[in-house]
């Protein structure tokens, strides 16, 4: 089956620092998604990427769809305390004969920001 | 904004009880999903539905069933709850064109 490795597993940073995390896959994906999850809440979509090489920003967040289609990264610039949470990547391969393509999730990166 | 609403945030049920988790989305999405999330195991797909009255098993369907009578509503049913079904349950929806999946707030189920 598809494997998706997300790193790092956790990060402890000072407020104001930049953050970078990435995901790599054993197979090609057609879609990369990045989510943030706060404790006790559902994941919230941050950025969606649909084309190889695509670079998309959402405020202080920037994500890229790797040109090999097997990786993606998320950067957070000038971190603030409310950036604390778990960040997940997710990838979708070919849907095949159906309209649904199964989503594979990374293990998550736990981000802690010290004021 | 996409809104996926789960009817219950916190439930405590007894072993053997029948449990219904309800989910409604307001974006006219064809696809709807139920996941459970457990520490160390990540998000695991229980069931999904790509149309009204259509359903397919995910990775861990044992002990669960689903119902999709209307496009906007997808229900997860635990016929006889067991303690190993204590978990956080997440509903999600997406369009059929392979777009992003949007999650609800989650339902914390404790089975005692």
């Amino acid at each position: 089956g598809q494997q998706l490795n997300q790193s790092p597993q956790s990060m402890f940073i000072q407020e104001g620092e930049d953050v970078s995390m990435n995901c790599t896959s054993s197979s090609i994906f057609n879609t990369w998604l990045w989510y943030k999850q706060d404790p006790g809440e559902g994941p919230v979509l941050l950025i969606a990427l649909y084309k190889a090489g695509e670079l998309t920003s959402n405020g202080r967040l920037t994500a890229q769809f790797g040109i090999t289609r097997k990786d993606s990264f998320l950067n957070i610039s000038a971190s603030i305390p409310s950036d604390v949470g778990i960040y997940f990547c997710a990838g979708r391969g070919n849907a095949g004969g159906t309209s649904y393509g199964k989503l594979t999730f990374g293990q998550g990166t736990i981000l802690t920001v010290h004021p | 904004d996409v809104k996926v609403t789960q009817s219950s945030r916190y439930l405590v049920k007894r072993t053997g009880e029948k449990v219904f988790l309800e989910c409604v989305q307001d974006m006219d999405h064809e696809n709807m999903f139920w996941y459970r999330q457990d520490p160390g195991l990540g998000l695991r797909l229980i069931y999904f539905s790509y149309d009204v009255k259509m359903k397919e098993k995910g990775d861990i369907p044992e002990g669960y069933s689903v119902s999709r009578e209307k496009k906007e509503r997808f229900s997860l049913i635990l016929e006889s709850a067991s303690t190993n079904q204590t978990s956080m349950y997440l509903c999600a929806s997406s369009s059929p064109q392979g777009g992003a999946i949007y999650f609800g707030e989650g339902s914390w189920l404790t089975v005692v």
Side-chain angles (χ1 to χ4, degrees):
Chain A
Q2 292 173 331
Q3 301 284 327
L4 216 172
N5 293 312
Q6 183 172 350
S7 65
Q9 289 188 347
S10 61
M11 302 182 74
F12 297 84
I13 62 170
Q14 291 293 128
E15 183 177 0
E17 288 185 14
D18 296 343
V19 173
S20 184
M21 60 192 78
N22 69 84
C23 283
T24 58
S25 168
S26 59
S27 54
I28 289 173
F29 283 144
N30 294 324
T31 301
W32 282 98
L33 307 170
W34 284 94
Y35 293 89
K36 181 190 178 209
Q37 187 173 22
D38 292 326
E41 303 292 325
V44 174
L45 180 68
L46 298 174
I47 293 179
L49 303 161
Y50 300 108
K51 284 175 22 178
E54 181 180 356
L55 183 72
T56 297
S57 293
N58 178 8
R60 294 179 295 106
L61 277 61
T62 302
Q64 184 158 27
F65 193 141
I67 57 172
T68 66
R69 296 166 65 191
K70 291 186 176 183
D71 63 333
S72 178
F73 72 75
L74 175 71
N75 287 343
I76 306 173
S77 63
S79 59
I80 59 178
S82 62
D83 290 334
V84 165
I86 304 176
Y87 292 79
F88 290 98
C89 62
R92 177 190 277 119
N94 286 328
T98 69
S99 62
Y100 169 73
K102 184 177 178 180
L103 210 59
T104 302
F105 288 90
Q107 305 94 325
T109 296
I110 302 171
L111 179 64
T112 303
V113 180
H114 294 286
Chain B
D1 283 351
V2 175
K3 187 71 173 176
V4 180
T5 303
Q6 296 182 227
S7 57
S8 304
R9 288 301 313 273
Y10 303 97
L11 305 94
V12 179
K13 297 292 182 180
R14 294 193 181 277
T15 300
E17 277 192 74
K18 191 168 185 175
V19 181
F20 292 88
L21 299 179
E22 307 283 347
C23 175
V24 176
Q25 52 94 4
D26 66 357
M27 282 301 292
D28 202 35
H29 283 163
E30 281 78 4
N31 297 333
M32 295 189 74
F33 312 86
W34 277 105
Y35 290 87
R36 63 177 283 178
Q37 186 177 32
D38 301 287
L41 296 175
L43 283 150
R44 293 181 291 168
L45 182 64
I46 304 171
Y47 266 98
F48 69 95
S49 168
Y50 52 90
D51 202 351
V52 174
K53 296 191 185 294
M54 306 301 287
K55 61 185 179 184
E56 287 200 22
K57 294 179 180 179
D59 299 318
I60 52 164
E62 296 78 18
Y64 303 94
S65 62
V66 290
S67 173
R68 186 127 181 242
E69 296 296 319
K70 293 185 178 182
K71 188 176 185 180
E72 68 271 17
R73 189 178 297 271
F74 193 35
S75 303
L76 180 69
I77 304 155
L78 288 67
E79 294 288 342
S80 178
S82 63
T83 55
N84 63 11
Q85 292 178 310
T86 292
S87 185
M88 180 174 185
Y89 290 87
L90 289 161
C91 176
S93 73
S94 77
S95 66
Q97 289 80 22
I101 289 181
Y102 297 89
F103 287 90
E105 316 94 321
S107 297
W108 287 93
L109 173 66
T110 301
V111 183
V112 298

